[in-house]
Amino acid sequence: MSTWAILAAAGSGERLGADRPKAFVALGELPLLATSMERLDESDWIDAIVVAAPRGWEEPSILLAEEIGAGKVSSVVAGGATRAESVRLALAEVPEEAVAVLVHDAARPLVDDEVVGRVLTPLAEGWDGVVPALPIADTVKRVDGDRVLETLDRDDLVAVQTPQAFVADTLRRAVGGGSDATDCAGLVEAAGGRIRWVEGDPRLLKVTTQADLERVAAWL
Ligand code: CTP
Ligand code: MG
């Protein structure tokens, strides 16, 4: 019974606009990737980690794992053109014996053991996947260009984060489908899987812009 983590870190960080991929932008003393890598490495829930690194940054990712003593990092692969493709490539390195897979965005550095436990636990109750989510504070509207079409019922909506937990075989089948959802749960939903949501964490903010980076740095 083993649980593997996939750390999706292969994005270019277009919106952050730095001179290097987002995973290697400094957060505190180390590259951003180090924080989530270290936290997953220290988690008792996780047995091993596969990193999807930006193409050309595989070696620095291995060196980073060595530097911080992240001994659970079992392999580093070059990611693909989309997040779904990066997850697909990383999943190929997860052995058959893995029963659960946790997929996490390196762009959300402040992952902790409590949310990891919250998403992994319901898998034992027969869910195909579990996502952390938060209620939406703003009013949400459907639009078409600059025209507002309708107001959605906020009570029926949540904003979804990572880490997301999956039954390994279910995720393997879902990523084989070739669809390009922005999160893994979307792939499993498209394949007819049953996904549950649990309480997320505001500190799992995804670093997208410079302002996000500053906010997460202040929370370190
Ligand atoms: N990701 C990935 N492979 C890709 C694209 C994204 O592994 N081809 C990862 C990113 O590294 C990140 C997570 O998916 O940890 C969420 O993506 P996002 O925040 O959009 O990061 P980027 O795609 O790097 O940023 P941008 O969209 O601004 O370029
Ligand atoms: Mg992106």
Side-chain angles (χ1 to χ4, degrees), residues 87-202:
V87 171
R88 209 169 290 146
L89 292 163
L91 195 56
E93 300 296 315
V94 173
E96 277 301 312
E97 52 103 18
V99 291
V101 177
L102 186 90
V103 184
H104 184 60
D105 292 333
R108 304 179 192 270
L110 300 182
V111 56
D112 70 26
D113 236 21
E114 278 176 29
V115 74
V116 170
R118 279 205 295 281
V119 294
L120 282 169
T121 305
L123 293 183
E125 296 159 11
W127 296 93
D128 294 313
V130 186
V131 302
L134 292 174
I136 296 176
D138 294 318
T139 298
V140 181
K141 297 186 190 288
R142 188 189 309 282
V143 298
D144 179 16
D146 33 19
R147 168 138 191 244
V148 171
L149 297 179
E150 62 171 331
T151 302
L152 301 178
D153 186 354
R154 201 168 52 193
D155 292 344
D156 292 342
L157 299 169
V158 291
V160 171
Q161 307 173 313
T162 75
Q164 302 187 347
F166 302 95
V167 173
D169 282 336
T170 307
L171 186 62
R172 286 192 191 98
R173 277 195 301 273
V175 301
S179 134
D180 252 1
T182 51
D183 75 346
C184 292
L187 300 172
V188 176
E189 289 153 28
R194 286 173 70 241
I195 305 287
R196 175 185 170 163
W197 72 278
V198 296
E199 191 192 351
D201 183 343

Side-chain angles (χ1 to χ4, degrees), residues 7-16 22-23 52 79-87 104-108 182 206-208:
L7 200 43
S12 57
E14 207 76 40
R15 289 167 289 179
L16 193 57
K22 183 155 71 183
T82 62
R83 184 185 186 278
E85 185 61 26
S86 295
V87 171
H104 184 60
D105 292 333
R108 304 179 192 270
T182 51
K206 188 168 75 162
V207 172
T208 303

Side-chain angles (χ1 to χ4, degrees), residues 35-52:
T35 303
S36 53
M37 196 188 258
E38 186 168 41
R39 286 165 171 240
L40 292 178
D41 189 77
E42 283 170 357
S43 172
D44 288 337
W45 293 94
I46 306 298
D47 297 300
I49 303 167
V50 179
V51 179

